């Protein structure tokens, strides 16, 4: 038993010494290793979601954003607009409304969803961990509230609230600079994809008989009254 322990220690020591010796005598090897780490970090910052081709040319997207943490949220909104525009949504069909903070997002989202004037909603905000439990309470309430609006109104409401431990984490997720990735771009595309899914479900698109499967749609919570939204501009935008 003692012999095995000593042997393992010797092998570990030799391996460490060999690795150190090689990197010290071969700077290129060390540089290659560092470059590999940087490339890996940059790749990790990119979006891992493939949205494919999305045609949102007939959609209206509502963006509810907070004034709290304004600079970072403004960056996220720019990302949202870029993502939505990439999906062919006309600029005039992107509507933005401000609320004070993240806690107000679910209520504003429900008002907008009930107005029937948009095909999808994106709630954008930033929560940063502080010294008290305020962060946990707000984060939990907002998350549940946004999900409730999704299910209660059958309007896609995208969760675009960053929950971070510090400002550095926020910057990496709200900007494409220095290896970061603006998650707003993904949220914009998600809104378009879910709005299209809702339209297809309500229209019964893809049914072999050409008629909607009313029982299947009812089981999913969809009504049978047809799809589409009132295309009049929301009064409070």
């Amino acid at each position: 038993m003692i012999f095995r322990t000593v042997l393992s220690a010797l092998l570990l020591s030799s391996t460490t010494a060999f690795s150190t010796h090689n990197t010290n005598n071969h700077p290129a090897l060390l540089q290659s290793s560092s470059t590999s780490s940087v490339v890996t970090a940059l790749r990790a910052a990119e979006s891992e979601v493939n949205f494919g081709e999305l045609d949102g040319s007939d959609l209206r997207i509502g963006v509810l954003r907070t004034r709290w943490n304004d600079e970072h949220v403004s960056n996220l909104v720019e990302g949202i607009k870029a993502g939505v525009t990439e999906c062919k949504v006309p600029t005039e069909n992107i509507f933005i409304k401000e609320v004070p903070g993240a806690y107000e997002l679910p209520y504003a989202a429900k008002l907008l969803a009930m107005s029937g004037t948009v095909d999808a909603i994106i709630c954008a905000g930033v929560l940063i961990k502080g010294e008290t439990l305020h962060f946990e309470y707000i984060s939990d309430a907002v998350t549940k509230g946004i999900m409730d609006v999704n299910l209660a109104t059958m309007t896609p409401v995208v969760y675009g609230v960053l929950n971070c431990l510090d400002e550095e984490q926020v910057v990496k997720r709200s900007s494409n600079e220095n290896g970061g990735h603006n998650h707003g771009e993904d949220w914009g595309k998600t809104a378009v994809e879910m709005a299209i899914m809702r339209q297809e479900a309500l229209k019964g698109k893809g049914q072999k008989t050409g008629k909607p499967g009313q029982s299947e749609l009812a089981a999913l919570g969809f009504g049978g009254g047809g799809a589409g939204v009132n295309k009049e501009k929301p009064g409070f935008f």
Side-chain angles (χ1 to χ4, degrees):
M1 184 66 179
I2 296 177
F3 174 75
R4 287 183 180 178
T5 302
V6 173
L7 180 60
S8 298
L10 289 173
L11 288 173
L12 179 61
S13 176
S14 299
T15 302
T16 304
F18 176 77
S19 300
T20 304
H21 175 75
N22 275 332
T23 53
N24 287 339
N25 290 340
H26 301 280
L29 182 61
L30 182 60
Q31 182 179 3
S32 174
S33 176
S34 300
T35 302
S36 176
S37 299
V38 172
V39 171
T40 301
L42 289 175
R43 286 178 178 172
E46 296 175 357
S47 173
E48 296 181 358
V49 182
N50 179 16
F51 291 93
E53 292 292 327
L54 295 170
D55 184 1
S57 55
D58 65 338
L59 298 178
R60 295 178 68 136
I61 305 296
V63 180
L64 298 173
R65 55 147 299 168
T66 66
R67 292 192 296 274
W68 194 265
N69 289 315
D70 180 68
E71 179 182 353
H72 301 307
V73 178
S74 294
N75 289 337
L76 289 170
V77 171
E78 288 303 312
I80 289 171
K81 291 192 290 186
V84 169
T85 302
E86 188 177 331
C87 297
K88 305 176 184 177
V89 176
T91 303
E92 60 270 21
N93 282 2
I94 305 172
F95 305 105
I96 301 173
K97 176 69 176 178
E98 294 183 354
V99 297
Y103 193 78
E104 290 71 45
L105 286 171
Y107 178 70
K110 188 160 187 178
L111 288 178
L112 182 54
M114 291 173 65
S115 75
T117 53
V118 294
D119 297 282
I121 300 168
I122 305 169
C123 292
V126 170
L127 293 172
I128 303 176
K129 171 69 174 172
E131 297 179 354
T132 70
L133 292 176
H134 183 77
F135 171 85
E136 284 81 357
Y137 286 125
I138 297 297
S139 177
D140 183 64
V142 172
T143 301
K144 185 178 184 303
I146 291 176
M147 176 56 74
D148 287 346
V149 177
N150 271 282
L151 302 179
T153 67
M154 296 312 298
T155 300
V157 184
V158 177
Y159 185 81
V161 181
L162 292 180
N163 296 266
C164 299
L165 299 178
D166 53 51
E167 195 164 9
E168 182 181 355
Q169 291 183 349
V170 177
V171 172
K172 288 183 179 179
R173 291 158 178 79
S174 60
S175 170
N176 290 326
E177 297 180 1
N178 300 319
H181 173 66
N182 191 328
H183 287 263
E185 298 172 8
D186 299 331
W187 299 336
K189 295 176 183 178
T190 298
V192 172
E193 181 173 338
M194 297 309 294
I196 293 173
M197 177 184 292
R198 178 177 182 272
Q199 283 186 343
E200 292 177 346
L202 291 175
K203 290 178 181 178
K205 192 178 266 189
Q207 299 288 335
K208 293 182 180 179
T209 61
K211 297 179 180 180
Q214 296 295 341
S215 59
E216 288 83 355
L217 291 177
L220 290 172
F222 292 107
V229 298
N230 176 8
K231 293 299 181 180
E232 293 182 5
K233 188 174 180 179
F236 57 85
F237 269 98

